[in-house]
Amino acid sequence: MSFSTKFVPTLLAGAICASFVLVADVSVASGGSSGPAVAFRSTGNIGEVIVNPYKVAPLTAVVRNGGYEIHNASVRVLPKQGGQEIAYKVSESQLLSHGGVPVFGLYPDYVNTVEIEYDRVFQGKTEHFKDTYQFYTAPVYLRSNGLNSQSHTTFDVTVEKMDSAFKDRLYFVNNIIRTPPDASRYVWNNPMGGALEWAFGPENAIVDSTGAVRWYLLPNDDMYDPEQPYK
């Protein structure tokens, strides 16, 4: 009994000390003694850069407003050598809808340079900024249909003639690849065919006047899931 009464408090004290150490470790992991932290690096004077913010357009981004009020924003995507510049103004409603500045027209597999100009309002003070961002975007990725008729999944465009009056235009390409095997497993008889017979792989992109891809659709499973015919 003498051994037991001395040992139990020792175990309890050890357990309490261990619990304090565990709590301390958890608090440090969540941001330190001052509390939780958000780990991102802003490379401009507002918030962070989120590439492909809506998971379906990898050549887009949003520069978050960082909690500031932003007005009079404009965007310029610097072109590659011999490429086409994309520049536009951003409406007030779009700044609110995206919670920041939407960026469109990025190059795939490339370290893009984007200039954003805007007015920032903070504590009643308005300041004008012109920030330059550089960030990478991944190559164009589209699904394979598993057939020997497909040699690539990108959009190869060769410009044969371009009138200078149209050099600032963008062109929407709407194409489909042959039906992949996983989209060919159903027969829809009501009384014939139906939309399922056209469940080809979607290919949608925007190219500029030099033939470079500046936007494309990356279908997710909610948008295109050929293994689920009732979707």
Side-chain angles (χ1 to χ4, degrees):
M1 289 296 295
S2 176
F3 175 81
S4 176
T5 54
K6 292 180 180 179
F7 187 65
V8 171
T10 302
L11 287 177
L12 289 174
I16 292 172
C17 289
S19 67
F20 279 128
V21 172
L22 181 60
V23 171
D25 285 346
V26 171
S27 66
V28 170
S30 66
S33 57
S34 61
V38 178
F40 74 87
R41 183 169 65 93
S42 175
T43 55
N45 290 284
I46 44 178
E48 69 272 38
V49 177
I50 306 296
V51 179
N52 191 16
Y54 307 115
K55 312 304 181 187
V56 295
L59 302 185
T60 65
V62 169
V63 181
R64 302 298 299 275
N65 59 29
Y68 297 103
E69 184 181 337
I70 300 176
H71 300 285
N72 304 318
S74 60
V75 176
R76 177 176 177 243
V77 180
L78 273 63
K80 294 181 178 180
Q81 185 174 3
Q84 177 181 338
E85 173 187 289
I86 291 182
Y88 55 91
K89 294 185 179 297
V90 183
S91 68
E92 298 290 304
S93 62
Q94 290 296 313
L95 291 173
L96 294 173
S97 296
H98 296 282
V101 183
V103 178
F104 161 84
L106 300 169
Y107 287 101
D109 193 20
Y110 187 70
V111 178
N112 291 268
T113 300
V114 180
E115 294 178 350
I116 298 180
E117 202 164 350
Y118 57 91
D119 294 330
R120 189 188 77 180
V121 181
F122 180 61
Q123 294 182 342
K125 179 182 179 181
T126 300
E127 296 179 276
H128 185 79
F129 292 97
K130 184 176 181 180
D131 295 339
T132 299
Y133 297 87
Q134 285 191 315
F135 52 90
Y136 175 78
T137 47
V140 174
Y141 171 79
L142 295 172
R143 63 183 286 127
S144 168
N145 65 4
L147 301 175
N148 59 6
S149 59
Q150 183 183 28
S151 61
H152 59 279
T153 61
T154 58
F155 300 86
D156 293 333
V157 177
T158 300
V159 180
E160 296 183 353
K161 182 180 180 181
M162 175 60 62
D163 190 298
S164 59
F166 297 93
K167 64 181 181 180
D168 62 342
R169 302 295 179 90
L170 298 172
Y171 299 87
F172 179 67
V173 179
N174 184 10
N175 197 9
I176 52 178
I177 62 176
R178 295 294 303 171
T179 308
D182 54 356
S184 307
R185 296 173 179 168
Y186 303 97
V187 176
W188 198 281
N189 295 315
N190 189 25
M192 56 183 292
L196 194 63
E197 289 189 355
W198 298 91
F200 297 169
E203 287 187 350
N204 302 281
I206 292 175
V207 299
D208 63 23
S209 58
T210 70
V213 177
R214 307 300 292 271
W215 178 92
Y216 78 98
L217 177 70
L218 179 64
N220 58 24
D221 285 344
D222 290 330
M223 186 182 304
Y224 178 74
D225 185 1
E227 295 187 357
Q228 300 294 331
Y230 291 101
K231 269 190 173 181

